[in-house]
Amino acid sequence: DTAVSQTPKYLVTQMGNDKSIKCEQNLGHDTMYWYKQDSKKFLKIMFSYNNKELIINETVPNRFSPKSPDKAHLNLHINSLELGDSAVYFCASSGGLDTDTQYFGPGTRLTVL
Amino acid sequence: KNQVEQSPQSLIILEGKNCTLQCNYTVSPFSNLRWYKQDTGRGPVSLTIMTFSENTKSNGRYTATLDADTKQSSLHITASQLSDSASYICVVRGLTGTASKLTFGTGTRLQVTL
């Protein structure tokens, strides 16, 4: 009965590859997010989806493409991976854009070699 | 530019002792401020949320304070336990017209030892 789940937990890949990270929430929330946490532990929002529509798209390379097949899922596809993409990626959800409590997933540690 | 700065960057205390973490922000207009706890290898979990009109709020051994005039918040942990070892992140929500935006602090890494 995990609230926000992500797969995989760890991802190690070579530069130039394409990879996807999946996120699912069973909280019935309308809004989902992707965050990147770098080696200095700084959390930065990448995308926000509300009811399957892109709401926030921070300055993120277009190699990153989120896809929301339904309200409960927000997947992150990354093309042509670079060394600087190595980080922990967190998915989160909340009841609405301005509904404050965000529930975070366990994170996916991506290592690009 | 909206900023959220936290201090100290890291802190080591003995089990049973109290500690206070600081958060200063420049986000304006301000909507609310939230403290998150992030255990190693886990996602952040919300501890408290404070709006403009609230000065203090407690959640068990955690007590958050807010001074909206000086744009400062603190998180006080009483009688620390080993399980309090984590990163504590201050997040400020600002208002921009009809939208709002979250600004994250870089966190304080707390280690509680025996």
Side-chain angles (χ1 to χ4, degrees):
Chain A
D1 54 348
T2 304
V4 182
S5 59
Q6 295 178 228
T7 54
K9 189 166 175 60
Y10 300 96
L11 184 55
V12 181
T13 188
Q14 300 282 342
M15 264 197 322
N17 284 350
D18 303 338
K19 290 293 178 184
S20 292
I21 307 173
K22 295 185 177 182
C23 176
E24 177 181 1
Q25 54 95 2
N26 61 7
L27 298 166
H29 286 164
D30 289 334
T31 308
M32 296 183 72
Y33 312 80
W34 275 110
Y35 289 87
K36 179 181 179 180
Q37 188 170 45
D38 59 26
S39 58
K40 295 183 179 178
K41 304 300 183 185
F42 184 61
L43 263 172
K44 186 173 181 180
I45 191 167
M46 300 173 68
F47 301 101
S48 170
Y49 266 72
N50 190 35
N51 281 318
K52 295 170 47 181
E53 289 188 22
L54 180 64
I55 302 300
I56 296 173
N57 181 0
E58 296 293 322
T59 306
V60 176
N62 57 16
R63 298 181 294 103
F64 291 80
S65 53
K67 283 189 172 50
S68 182
D70 55 60
K71 284 198 326 182
H73 296 84
L74 181 62
N75 304 324
L76 183 65
H77 188 75
I78 315 170
N79 289 327
S80 304
L81 279 156
E82 300 177 357
L83 293 177
D85 297 333
S86 295
V88 181
Y89 292 84
F90 286 99
C91 176
S93 74
S94 66
L97 262 183
D98 290 330
T99 302
D100 295 296
T101 302
Q102 292 189 17
Y103 295 83
F104 285 80
T108 295
R109 180 175 292 278
L110 171 65
T111 303
V112 182
L113 303 174
Chain B
K1 180 181 177 183
N2 288 332
Q3 288 186 313
V4 177
E5 295 185 355
Q6 294 185 241
S7 61
Q9 279 191 334
S10 61
L11 182 62
I12 301 175
I13 62 173
L14 292 175
E15 187 181 28
K17 297 296 186 183
N18 303 334
C19 68
T20 300
L21 314 180
Q22 299 289 346
C23 174
N24 296 339
Y25 61 93
T26 61
V27 176
S28 181
F30 166 87
S31 177
N32 59 57
L33 182 148
R34 187 181 290 271
W35 283 93
Y36 281 91
K37 177 187 179 188
Q38 184 176 18
D39 292 314
T40 300
R42 311 286 288 268
V45 174
S46 176
L47 292 175
T48 65
I49 178 173
M50 304 191 71
T51 58
F52 186 88
S53 59
E54 294 175 303
N55 298 119
T56 184
K57 184 172 283 188
S58 291
N59 176 5
R61 294 180 296 103
Y62 300 102
T63 299
T65 65
L66 174 67
D67 185 336
D69 292 330
T70 60
K71 294 185 169 57
Q72 295 179 326
S73 175
S74 67
L75 181 68
H76 185 75
I77 304 175
T78 304
S80 61
Q81 299 176 0
L82 296 178
S83 59
D84 293 331
S85 296
S87 289
Y88 292 84
I89 303 171
C90 175
V91 183
V92 180
R93 183 181 290 276
L95 296 171
T96 307
T98 57
S100 65
K101 183 169 181 172
L102 294 175
T103 304
F104 285 74
T106 52
T108 292
R109 175 73 192 162
L110 173 66
Q111 185 176 348
V112 181
T113 65
L114 293 171

